[in-house]
Amino acid sequence: MDAGNVPSTRRAMRRARWVVLIAAASAWLAVACTSDGDAPPPTAPAPPVEEPAGTTAVGRDVELVLPPRTALDPSIAERLSDRMRSLSEDLPDGVDSLSVRLPEEPAFVPDLLELAAARGAALACVLGPDVAGIADRTADRHGATTVCALPATLPELDEEGDFEPTPAVRIDVPVTELGVLVGTAARTAVLTAVARADPDADGPDADGTDPDADEPAAPAAEVPRVGLVLLGDELPSDRLREGVLTGLAGIEVVEVEDADASPLEALETLLAMGVQVVIVDGGPGAAEVVAALSGRSAIVAPVDILAGADTAEVVLGYRLRWEQVVRVVLDSFAGAGHLEAPVLLGLGDDVLELEVGEDHPEVLAALMAARAQLATRDDPRAPLLDEGPPAGAP
């Protein structure tokens, strides 16, 4: 080698070495900026987490995401959470654990369901109205986890009579039928109250005068009116309301259409319109409504709202027994079927709790007749027809 070329050769080697070092540093920085694996830069949307549909989640852990705390009256939220957690004391064989999540806000519901599946839960379920879409998205992203939505209307039947496949399993419960029973109780109570207040209500004309009498007759009887304060809870409000109106067939129903009115403002409006019975659901503010009703109107409300309430005007306390529904889901998942098909629970599955007020034996009789009539339906998934008041209602 020519001695005169040594410095230039060494300079070339140093340049080559710097090129290698710069290239290595650039590669390291690229890896450091995407430390989450192959995740794209922050400006690009993250791809879905896809897992082989045939894989099996590690363990047999179950996670349940409840409706957000802000979507329920506090008494409903706490008791629902307590009942769900109590199921972990007696899990079926094949289920290792049950974790219950009570989100603070609606935005946390899909995140908690996604997190449960990402952590490898064998079964992840979400409870509340309109949760089927959330459950489907999580099921599409995590094939190793069985995802279920409850309550959710069952999928359509195909030409062979089988359910159309859905990413998440649907668990349906008798929401509309519960509404029918709630409406039947209110209808029976309001008709009984009006009849007791004026047993001769059919005598005078509607204007309060009797053409065959020398003296003006007493004022016409009160018009039976039932007020609705449906604030929205864990039940699909459209299905519950459909059932309530079916049970109230023939009764004047009063609602406040002002979406900005507070629950107490809505109640005062209803009372000013002369309602004799008020139906309340388990939405935020329901407990305050029940407390304000004491001594002013008969009440139909969830059992948990009425617990501890100082009122003697209770017509009916009602509740959908979610702990029984989830127990059926756990048993189905632990069994051979692994919760592969939709689940439909009806009136005969002990999922409804109805507590009739002591002063309303007529309501108990009407509910028994209505429940028997509903139980004879050929297809409980078919929409209810307005066939008038259930048999046995006055």
Side-chain angles (χ1 to χ4, degrees):
M1 178 180 295
D2 188 347
N5 292 333
V6 171
S8 61
T9 302
R10 289 176 178 173
R11 285 195 298 269
M13 292 177 65
R14 283 197 297 267
R15 284 197 299 270
R17 187 179 297 114
W18 276 108
V19 170
V20 171
L21 291 176
I22 291 172
S26 300
W28 181 87
L29 286 174
V31 172
C33 290
T34 57
S35 59
D36 292 333
D38 295 329
T43 55
V49 179
E50 297 182 356
E51 301 168 3
T55 60
T56 302
V58 177
R60 301 287 289 174
D61 298 326
V62 177
E63 295 212 22
L64 173 64
V65 180
L66 300 181
R69 193 185 298 271
T70 56
L72 303 174
D73 187 88
S75 58
I76 297 286
E78 293 302 326
R79 287 179 170 85
L80 176 61
S81 179
D82 290 343
R83 291 185 179 110
M84 295 299 101
R85 296 180 196 280
S86 68
L87 293 175
S88 62
E89 300 173 1
D90 185 23
L91 295 175
D93 293 338
V95 175
D96 296 335
S97 67
L98 171 65
S99 300
V100 179
R101 313 297 179 188
L102 179 59
E104 292 296 329
E105 300 290 342
F108 299 150
V109 172
D111 293 340
L112 287 174
L113 186 66
E114 181 79 11
L115 182 60
R119 285 189 299 212
L123 172 65
C125 292
V126 56
L127 190 158
D130 305 321
V131 293
I134 296 173
D136 281 345
R137 286 192 292 273
T138 299
D140 281 334
R141 291 164 59 88
H142 298 277
T145 297
T146 299
V147 182
C148 78
L150 63 159
T153 303
L154 299 191
E156 299 292 333
L157 297 175
D158 58 23
E159 296 179 354
E160 298 180 356
D162 298 323
F163 287 112
E164 294 286 351
T166 56
V169 180
R170 270 55 169 166
I171 313 295
D172 203 7
V173 293
V175 176
T176 309
E177 289 83 354
L178 174 60
V180 172
L181 297 174
V182 166
T184 298
R187 180 182 188 278
T188 304
V190 71
L191 290 178
T192 301
V194 169
R196 288 174 178 171
D198 188 356
D200 299 325
D202 294 333
D205 290 342
D207 62 358
T209 60
D210 188 344
D212 297 328
D214 296 332
E215 299 294 333
E222 289 184 281
V223 175
R225 292 188 179 92
V226 172
L228 303 185
V229 184
L230 301 181
L231 308 169
D233 50 25
E234 83 280 9
L235 299 174
S237 57
D238 55 341
R239 293 169 59 187
L240 181 67
R241 188 175 183 276
E242 175 193 357
V244 167
L245 295 180
T246 299
L248 286 171
I251 300 298
E252 183 176 333
V253 178
V254 183
E255 295 182 83
V256 175
E257 298 181 356
D258 184 2
D260 296 327
S262 70
L264 291 180
E265 290 171 342
L267 174 64
E268 294 302 325
T269 300
L270 296 181
L271 293 175
M273 298 178 70
V275 300
Q276 299 97 345
V277 179
V278 175
I279 298 176
V280 184
D281 65 3
E288 289 80 1
V289 171
V290 169
L293 274 172
S294 182
R296 306 171 71 187
S297 169
I299 305 168
V300 177
V303 171
D304 291 334
I305 296 293
L306 298 172
D310 184 17
T311 177
E313 296 82 15
V314 175
V315 172
L316 177 71
Y318 66 92
R319 183 173 74 87
L320 208 150
R321 301 180 63 225
W322 286 114
E323 68 276 16
Q324 177 64 15
V325 176
V326 175
R327 185 176 289 112
V328 171
V329 171
L330 294 176
D331 289 340
S332 299
F333 181 69
H338 301 299
L339 199 64
E340 295 175 350
V343 176
L344 174 64
L345 298 176
L347 296 178
D349 293 303
D350 195 27
V351 294
L352 299 186
E353 180 177 341
L354 304 173
E355 298 183 3
V356 178
E358 295 181 358
D359 297 332
H360 298 278
E362 73 285 349
V363 171
L364 178 59
L367 287 179
M368 293 178 63
R371 190 161 185 163
Q373 182 176 340
L374 289 170
T376 60
R377 296 170 54 85
D378 294 332
D379 183 3
R381 293 166 292 166
L384 289 175
L385 300 177
D386 187 358
E387 299 173 346

